[in-house]
Amino acid sequence: MIYFSDSGLLVRSMVKKDIEGFVDGFASQNWHKPYELFYGYYVQQQNNERLVIIAETNGDVAGYATLLPHANAGPFAGKDIPEIVDFNVLIKYQRRGIGSRIMDVAETLAKSKSDCVSLSVGLHYGYGSAQRMYVKRGYIPDGTGVWYKGHQLEQYAECKNDDDLTIYLLKSFNR
């Protein structure tokens, strides 16, 4: 399905050939994103368990996000709230508005099912651009504090500042 098309940017559903494009694209920037991850996303999309939103520019994959119809973990699990999961734009395509367009599509799809959408974001500086973008788009912390490896941390708990240290955010469409 095509969600958006304009001047060299296409935002659409995932097709199987995207798997290799992303594996190669992330490998070229020295990030390990295994084939199995993207293959799993593709299968889940085929089974209507997850939407996979792909940005393509000049025939090359540039970024993606996935949208779960219901959060599976964290503070919104079991609350019938969609969750944006694993949002990435390849480094060579960043700062061109591609990520914003992916988020526009993800939020529109979520809005058709709910009056809010959730996501979580890492807390280390590598997520700084994403943190700023989410706040500018109207996402606010849900108030449950910091989570680590899928569990809410108690006050003064020790943790490691890695990709698994996150905070959950919520955006309401009824503002």
Side-chain angles (χ1 to χ4, degrees):
M1 170 176 273
I2 294 175
Y3 301 113
F4 176 85
S5 179
D6 186 35
S7 63
L9 179 63
L10 180 65
V11 181
R12 58 171 172 74
S13 298
M14 183 182 207
V15 294
K16 196 169 187 179
K17 71 176 184 154
D18 296 332
I19 299 168
E20 289 295 335
F22 280 119
V23 170
D24 294 344
F26 283 107
S28 73
Q29 63 187 40
N30 295 316
W31 290 11
H32 177 67
K33 290 263 189 180
Y35 178 94
E36 294 77 19
L37 172 72
F38 295 106
Y39 182 75
Y41 287 166
Y42 177 74
V43 169
Q44 290 172 358
Q45 176 186 262
Q46 297 306 105
N47 293 333
N48 296 313
E49 298 167 356
R50 173 188 306 261
L51 294 173
V52 187
I53 303 154
I54 304 293
E56 173 187 314
T57 183
N58 300 319
D60 295 326
V61 293
Y64 71 94
T66 77
L67 180 66
L68 293 172
H70 314 284
N72 293 331
F76 305 114
K79 294 188 179 177
D80 207 25
I81 296 174
E83 182 177 18
I84 297 170
V85 179
D86 198 13
F87 167 57
N88 277 287
V89 176
L90 293 169
I91 292 170
K92 68 182 181 178
Y93 296 110
Q94 291 178 2
R95 301 226 166 265
R96 298 184 191 182
I98 293 170
S100 291
R101 186 60 67 188
I102 292 169
M103 288 296 293
D104 290 344
V105 169
E107 289 172 0
T108 297
L109 292 167
K111 190 175 187 177
S112 72
K113 305 277 187 217
S114 178
D115 40 346
C116 55
V117 65
S118 66
L119 54 79
S120 72
V121 64
L123 293 177
H124 66 69
Y125 69 86
Y127 291 98
S129 294
Q131 294 164 0
R132 291 175 48 80
M133 180 185 72
Y134 297 146
V135 169
K136 288 178 181 179
R137 293 183 71 90
Y139 288 84
I140 59 170
D142 76 307
T144 61
V146 178
W147 290 65
Y148 188 65
K149 294 188 184 253
H151 295 88
Q152 186 179 22
L153 287 180
E154 292 298 324
Q155 191 172 7
Y156 303 111
E158 292 194 21
C159 61
K160 184 176 180 182
N161 192 10
D162 61 15
D163 290 345
D164 292 319
L165 185 66
T166 65
I167 189 169
Y168 281 86
L169 307 173
L170 188 70
K171 179 175 182 174
S172 174
F173 299 123
N174 294 328
R175 294 180 132 200

